[in-house]
Amino acid sequence: MELLIALAIGTLTGCGVWLALRAHTFPVVLGLTLLSYAVNLFLFATGRLVVGRPPVIAAGAAYTDPLPQALVLTAIVIGFAMTAFVIMLALRARAELGNDHVDGKNE
Amino acid sequence: MMTTHLPILPVLAPFLAGALLLALPDLPMPVRRRIATFAVAAQIAIAVALLVATGGGDILVYRLGDWPAPWGIVLVADRLAAWLVLTATLLALCAVIHAGDGTDRRGRHFHVLFQMQLFGIAGAFLTGDLFNLFVFFEILLIASYGLLLHGGGAERTRAGLHYVVLNLIGSTAFLFAAGLIYASLGSLNMADIAARAAQVPPENLGLARTGGLLLLAVFALKAALLPLFLWLPAAYAHTSAPVAALFAIMTKVGAYALLRADTLLFGSTSGALAGLFAPWLLPLALATLAAGMFGALAAESLRRLAAWLVVASVGTLLTGFALGPAGVAAGLYYLPHGTFAAALLFLLAEGIARRRPAGADFFAPERDMPRHALWGGLFFAAAVAAAGLPPLSGFLGKFMLLRAAQGHPAQAWIWGVVLVAALAGVIALARAGSRLFFSTRTVEPAPAAPQSAPVDMLPDELPDPPGAPRELTAILGLLGLILALTAAAGPAADFARATAAQLADPAAYRAAVLGGSR
């Protein structure tokens, strides 16, 4: 499972970085979204991967770390809002600059 | 009771004022302005109370929900936080007064965003939790996106898009860094991280170092440190003047985070992680200072020049922060000066641009502007402040910095870069002033135009634009703050030294937050 999670995070981050380096706003927004997915998965794994345990402290029992889940929840909410904002901004840039190049110039 | 709740008031006051302004969208603009100005004035009073409460060396800790320290979120007010909150609120007062000249009408919710920006800034200075710092960064960033784009326009949108995308990538990197630090050290409370850093198990050392250096990169992006400063000149030069003035404190939030991480998380008592930032800070800071001055020399308009001087002032500041307690004291004394001087230049650039309808603030010949003696004099004072010439506080700050560098192994480099950069700043500002004020052209009366354009449409002197009293109040206010910092140089420098001494002793911070158990 560690390998699977690590590969998933690595693939998402790699694709995200590659897309964020593109010259048009749509791939950049997609890249940012992929990066935020990658970081959410990554945060989830920072409490170490544990299977079949309760998420909060039960008497004496082993438990999964609840803190990363709280962090992921916060990160998802913030990432969601930021993605919505950057999409609106990209649309506005498309309307005001006349094209979707990140520097606003025609090629 | 007041002292108990004092650390949260700088965060709550702007939040409540912003929420109030958002909840009452139908208020007429003069009332909104009055509420916003009153809210900022109240925040200044709170910041002064906080400065008095922490001035004796006490570290005030506010446990939200009264959860004990490593588990709950804490707000921590020490001298550094109080000093920065006061700087930010004083700057905000001048910016909000200036915005009342009509900038706040050019889009919706200016004052709401402005208060939310202050909410995020105050929170970032006061929080004692790494993840909470991320949240406050996001709050101040999303407010700054709104403010940066306020008023619209193609250039502003283009610069805003770069700013937003870069900061979103920065936020993602911040989350990776926070995750790495939690994974390797098992805590997000900054005092607890510092305590655990001393006994990090060797198998986690690599992860913790990676997380720490990623934090360095994130804070360097916020502070506009080389090589992550290229977003700043375009973003600051294209936004409206009061927003650019307020943003002068934004790079200082990044510098604050760097200083806090350098002295607390990776401070002298952090064992294997101690001094993680040390090899990077000084070379990057000097390179940033040099790059900022090259940019200033090449600038074609006053706004660009001011934006590049913001980069240079970050370089000066972090050079100080990299030099140990004496340098930190110099940097902390220089910080309000650099912030006010940059804001002053942005406000002046706007004022000058309004009075030169064709040339704006570009360094091109243009008709003589109305009341040129007043504006020329103000520009001269601002230039003296921004270049760090005597007798104003910038000179004192740089002098303290050079003194702190005495005997440092890289003294020749530090003195060389700081002094040559100061000379470059003088040249850039002198060039700007002579182009803007001396290189005027006389206006020929319009050649007998076929259509009925009367000659008095082109008077020798243009009328003063509306809103001038507010503009002048804000500009004179900033100038007054710089003069006050100069006149009170003794007490201010003593306070900066006491702050640096407090920062050099992370054990006291840990004891205050964690209850002295460690």
Side-chain angles (χ1 to χ4, degrees), chain A residues 13 20 25 28 32 35 39 42-43 46 48 65 67-68 71 74-75 78 82 85-86 89 92-93 96-97 102-104, chain B residues 131 134-135 138 142 145-146 149 152-154 157-158 160-162 164-165 168-169 172 175-176 179-180 182-183 188 204:
Chain A
T13 312
T25 47
V28 169
L32 291 173
L35 272 178
V39 82
F42 178 80
L43 281 180
T46 55
R48 304 294 186 270
D65 194 339
L67 189 81
L71 302 189
T74 315
I78 292 178
M82 293 295 177
F85 182 83
V86 79
L89 182 61
R92 181 164 155 183
E96 284 195 3
L97 304 170
V102 286
D103 288 333
Chain B
F131 198 80
F134 164 76
V135 174
E138 290 307 301
I142 200 156
Y145 302 156
L149 295 163
T157 308
R158 187 205 314 264
L161 186 66
H162 292 182
V164 172
V165 169
L168 285 182
I169 293 173
T172 312
L175 279 177
F176 273 117
L180 277 168
Y182 180 73
L188 285 168
N204 281 349

Side-chain angles (χ1 to χ4, degrees), chain B residues 117-342:
Chain B
Q117 172 91 57
L118 291 176
F119 167 51
I121 291 174
F125 288 148
L126 285 166
T127 185
D129 185 280
L130 195 61
F131 198 80
N132 198 228
L133 181 66
F134 164 76
V135 174
F136 276 120
F137 266 19
E138 290 307 301
I139 292 170
L140 77 87
L141 282 175
I142 200 156
S144 80
Y145 302 156
L147 283 177
L148 187 81
L149 295 163
H150 178 83
E155 279 303 314
R156 209 167 275 182
T157 308
R158 187 205 314 264
L161 186 66
H162 292 182
Y163 176 77
V164 172
V165 169
L166 268 175
N167 274 301
L168 285 182
I169 293 173
S171 303
T172 312
F174 196 161
L175 279 177
F176 273 117
L180 277 168
I181 287 192
Y182 180 73
S184 55
L185 300 172
S187 184
L188 285 168
N189 179 299
M190 294 206 272
D192 201 27
I193 292 173
R196 286 167 187 244
Q199 55 244 24
V200 54
E203 72 269 17
N204 281 349
L205 189 60
L207 277 182
R209 290 180 64 91
T210 314
L213 289 174
L214 206 49
L215 271 187
L216 171 70
V218 173
F219 296 155
L221 174 71
K222 311 283 177 203
L225 203 61
L226 188 104
L228 301 169
F229 66 95
L230 291 168
W231 55 271
L232 189 143
Y236 282 32
H238 288 128
T239 189
S240 57
V243 174
L246 180 66
F247 279 14
I249 194 76
M250 293 267 284
T251 50
K252 275 68 180 182
V253 179
Y256 159 81
L258 276 173
L259 178 63
R260 183 69 86 193
D262 186 37
T263 55
L264 177 65
L265 302 186
F266 312 114
S268 51
T269 56
S270 295
L273 289 171
L276 188 64
F277 288 0
W280 299 93
L281 269 188
L282 187 60
L284 287 180
L286 289 176
T288 309
L289 178 55
M293 280 309 172
F294 277 122
L297 284 172
E300 288 169 343
S301 71
L302 190 50
R303 273 179 255 218
R304 284 255 168 194
L305 175 63
W308 281 106
L309 287 176
V310 170
V311 176
S313 108
V314 167
T316 312
L317 196 60
L318 286 168
T319 305
F321 289 174
L323 291 177
V328 172
L332 287 176
Y333 177 75
Y334 183 78
L335 189 146
H337 168 85
T339 312
F340 297 148

Side-chain angles (χ1 to χ4, degrees), chain A residues 31-41 75-76 79-80 83, chain B residues 172 175:
Chain A
L32 291 173
T33 317
L34 288 187
L35 272 178
S36 74
Y37 291 160
V39 82
N40 288 344
L41 268 181
I76 287 174
F80 198 65
T83 308
Chain B
T172 312
L175 279 177

